[in-house]
Amino acid sequence: MRQLLIAGNWKMNHTASETETFCRNFRALGLEDHKVEILLCPPFTSIPAMVSVLDGTPVHVGGQDMCYVESGAFTGAISAAMLADAGCSHVLLGHSERRQFFHEDDANVNLKAKKAIEKGLTPVVCIGETREQREKGVTEKVVRTQLLGALEDLSTEDILKLVIAYEPVWAIGTGLTATPEQAQEVHRYIRDVLAERTDDETAESLRILYGGSAKPSNAEELLSEKDIDGLLIGGASLKVDDFYQMIVTGDKLNS
Ligand code: 13P
């Protein structure tokens, strides 16, 4: 059985001092003995505070992006080695906001995934269609292209190190959640593409998260779907109680 992963993407929210307060309150709720895996991805400047306050807990910390180059003259960029050295184990790659506002494409995500794996980080590769693409009926084509593009030249051994996140762009930050059936349909399709690209066993063992207006009130129905192996949560991960509640929901379903 795939262990559920409950992940928070804070995007550009929470200063380092706000992060410290969040993490103290979060820790006070009890972070040991959960059945799900937990990941939080704060802004770069909050990583040290989070790593320090959550030290000794099983919570993983991740970056929200990284540069595909090792080091050098790339003003404003953060390398995989810097994330790892700061205490990160994961990194989000290809989030739709990176694609939309920073013009990242599949080739770029592929280079980043290779570098992240080389440096021992677990990439969480984000894919998903826009509203127009869904309305045009090209959802499968879009997620297939994004997925295969991100995985180009990766060995099965490396693909096994990834987490995939399906985030329909029209559901992000809009309050419009994909129905569990809509999400399950795409998750199943993604797993089929993974099986085609690798083999059945690899595809069955990879985790595919759902993201897009996930919240305490819809976590259970989403996580109950066969091919939904966790959540990538934006807005609701900024509130300690909401995020914790979703972890508890995951625990119940993972037991
Ligand atoms: P929301 O949960 O705020 O819709 O954001 C989802 C997301 O983009 C997570 O990466």
Side-chain angles (χ1 to χ4, degrees):
M1 185 178 175
R2 298 178 293 265
Q3 187 186 17
L4 295 178
L5 171 59
I6 303 296
N9 171 13
W10 280 5
K11 310 189 179 185
M12 198 170 69
N13 294 290
H14 286 339
T15 61
S17 52
E18 288 163 350
T19 299
E20 206 175 313
T21 305
F22 177 106
C23 291
R24 283 193 206 292
N25 294 337
F26 187 41
R27 193 169 181 152
L29 294 173
L31 298 177
E32 308 303 325
D33 304 324
H34 288 287
K35 298 203 170 65
V36 298
E37 203 173 3
I38 307 166
L39 166 67
L40 270 173
C41 302
F44 294 135
T45 48
S46 286
I47 291 171
M50 182 172 282
V51 167
S52 156
V53 180
L54 298 183
D55 184 38
T57 74
V59 178
H60 300 291
V61 180
Q64 296 176 12
D65 180 41
M66 51 165 264
C67 186
Y68 56 86
V69 176
E70 181 89 19
S71 65
F74 290 85
T75 301
I78 294 283
S79 75
M82 289 169 187
L83 290 179
D85 182 64
C88 290
S89 52
H90 291 65
V91 62
L92 305 181
L93 296 180
H95 190 279
S96 64
E97 287 146 20
R98 299 295 315 171
R99 295 177 191 260
Q100 184 183 351
F101 302 122
F102 302 93
H103 314 295
E104 293 190 7
D105 59 16
D106 299 332
N108 202 264
V109 176
N110 176 242
L111 289 174
K112 292 183 184 198
K114 287 177 185 156
K115 185 55 81 179
I117 291 168
E118 184 191 318
K119 298 295 174 188
L121 295 171
T122 300
V124 179
V125 173
C126 305
I127 58 176
E129 81 288 1
T130 62
R131 180 197 292 271
E132 298 72 50
Q133 290 165 331
R134 177 162 280 263
E135 283 166 0
K136 271 200 231 148
V138 294
T139 298
E140 291 191 350
K141 185 165 174 271
V142 170
V143 297
R144 181 188 189 85
T145 303
Q146 290 178 338
L147 182 62
L148 294 178
L151 304 185
E152 196 152 326
D153 299 328
L154 289 182
S155 64
T156 298
E157 195 190 358
D158 282 344
I159 292 174
L160 275 166
K161 295 175 183 155
L162 304 171
V163 173
I164 308 296
Y166 169 58
E167 300 206 306
V169 180
W170 49 272
I172 296 178
T174 57
L176 275 178
T177 318
T179 63
E181 297 73 28
Q182 279 174 323
Q184 165 60 25
E185 195 182 0
V186 182
H187 279 235
R188 183 65 241 172
Y189 178 73
I190 291 168
R191 209 176 296 287
D192 289 345
V193 175
L194 287 168
E196 224 180 88
R197 171 66 173 76
T198 57
D199 53 77
D200 287 349
E201 201 187 328
T202 301
E204 287 304 318
S205 70
L206 281 167
R207 287 182 295 184
I208 309 171
L209 314 183
Y210 168 80
S213 299
K215 45 188 178 274
S217 59
N218 59 24
E220 180 159 358
E221 55 177 14
L222 286 163
L223 290 172
S224 298
E225 292 293 339
K226 188 170 175 293
D227 290 289
I228 300 184
D229 310 313
L231 300 170
L232 182 52
I233 308 155
S237 72
L238 295 167
K239 297 188 198 111
V240 183
D241 290 339
D242 284 358
F243 188 57
Y244 197 79
Q245 208 179 316
M246 294 164 91
I247 291 168
V248 171
T249 300
D251 283 344
K252 198 170 77 179
L253 295 167
N254 217 162
S255 58

